[in-house]
């Protein structure tokens, strides 16, 4: 399959700005989904052969600018068009107190920590929803105009978060981790020595490893998922909290980054600085 082409909307925006930022972002997104085998393509009219349990949905592109000004495009399914009766959609995330407790455990047991962010997370799992799109757009290059069945847990489908959560849980079990009784999103296993425990907590596609050898766990995760290089490293900002060590090596938790971002968004919304108290 040839590299997918960009959307007309992205092309028009780039022409006004004199660059190709949005076109590059949309091509990157579509190519990533094709590499993940997210879709099943058929000739137009294939929906006539499907049963009544199949539902029609749509695809649309969402555009966003990240904090570092990187352009991001996300191809999203129209989950609002799908009847979700009898389909599991709930997906839990790690509790904030669990993350704090892991920092205390790491400090007392001299464990190192690594954080990571899984890229294009949801489409790693298969969807339980039976949905199709009658005709693809030019984003898919030579496949434009084809009938498409969504095989993977595409962003926008209501069950996609639950499907990825189950996929990640199965992956961690295959590595020998088990869920803790206090928090189902904190996982534990004995390390290589068999004398110490190592931990991993998950918040959708973000995770934090606590271990004497966290790189070993990171390599295991990277063998299954694409972990963004920019996200790998000791925790400095995780789930809305700032982390740093004091002179005695103790973890300190703050929320300066979160509050600064929240204030800047409010000031942009109201068009003026927020009032300050003396």
């Amino acid at each position: 399959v040839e590299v997918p082409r960009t959307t007309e909307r992205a092309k028009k925006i780039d022409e006004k700005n004199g660059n190709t930022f949005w076109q590059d972002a949309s091509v990157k997104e579509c190519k990533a989904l094709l590499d993940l085998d997210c879709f099943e393509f058929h000739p137009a009219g294939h929906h006539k052969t499907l049963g009544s349990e199949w539902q029609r949905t749509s695809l649309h592109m969402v555009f966003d600018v990240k904090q570092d000004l990187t352009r991001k495009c996300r191809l999203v399914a129209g989950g609002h068009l799908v009847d979700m009766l009898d389909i599991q959609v709930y997906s839990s995330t790690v509790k904030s107190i669990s993350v704090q407790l892991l920092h205390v455990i790491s400090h007392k047991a001299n464990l190192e920590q690594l954080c990571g962010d899984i890229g294009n997370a949801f489409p790693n799992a298969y969807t339980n929803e039976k949905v199709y799109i009658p005709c693809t757009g030019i984003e898919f290059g030579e496949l434009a105009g084809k009938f498409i069945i969504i095989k993977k847990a595409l962003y926008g489908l209501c069950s996609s978060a639950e499907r990825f959560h189950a996929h990640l849980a199965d992956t961690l079990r295959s590595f020998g981790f088990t869920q803790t009784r206090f928090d189902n999103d904190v996982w534990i296993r004995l390390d290589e020595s068999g004398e110490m425990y190592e931990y991993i907590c998950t918040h959708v596609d973000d995770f934090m490893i606590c271990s004497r050898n966290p790189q070993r766990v990171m390599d295991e995760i990277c063998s299954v998922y694409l972990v963004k290089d920019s996200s790998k490293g000791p925790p400095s900002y995780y789930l809305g909290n700032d982390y740093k060590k004091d002179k005695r090596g103790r973890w300190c938790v703050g929320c300066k980054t979160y509050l600064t971002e929240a204030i800047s968004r409010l000031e942009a919304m109201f068009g003026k600085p927020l009032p300050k108290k003396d």
Side-chain angles (χ1 to χ4, degrees), residues 111-116 175 177 189 191-192 198-200 207-223 225 227-229 231-234:
L111 304 180
E112 296 181 20
Q113 296 171 300
L114 280 181
C115 292
F175 296 155
F177 283 94
R189 76 176 181 186
D191 66 7
E192 299 170 279
E198 52 190 1
Y199 309 83
I200 181 170
F207 61 88
M208 184 175 69
I209 304 165
C210 304
S211 170
R212 282 183 173 177
N213 184 10
Q215 188 59 51
R216 172 173 171 259
V217 183
M218 179 68 78
D219 291 341
E220 288 179 304
I221 295 173
C222 290
S223 69
Y225 303 108
V227 179
K228 301 175 184 177
D229 290 334
S231 69
K232 298 177 184 177

Side-chain angles (χ1 to χ4, degrees), residues 153-168:
L154 191 65
Y155 290 94
L157 296 179
C158 295
S159 67
S160 291
E162 185 277 332
R163 288 286 78 216
F164 173 71
H165 185 274
H167 189 280
L168 181 58

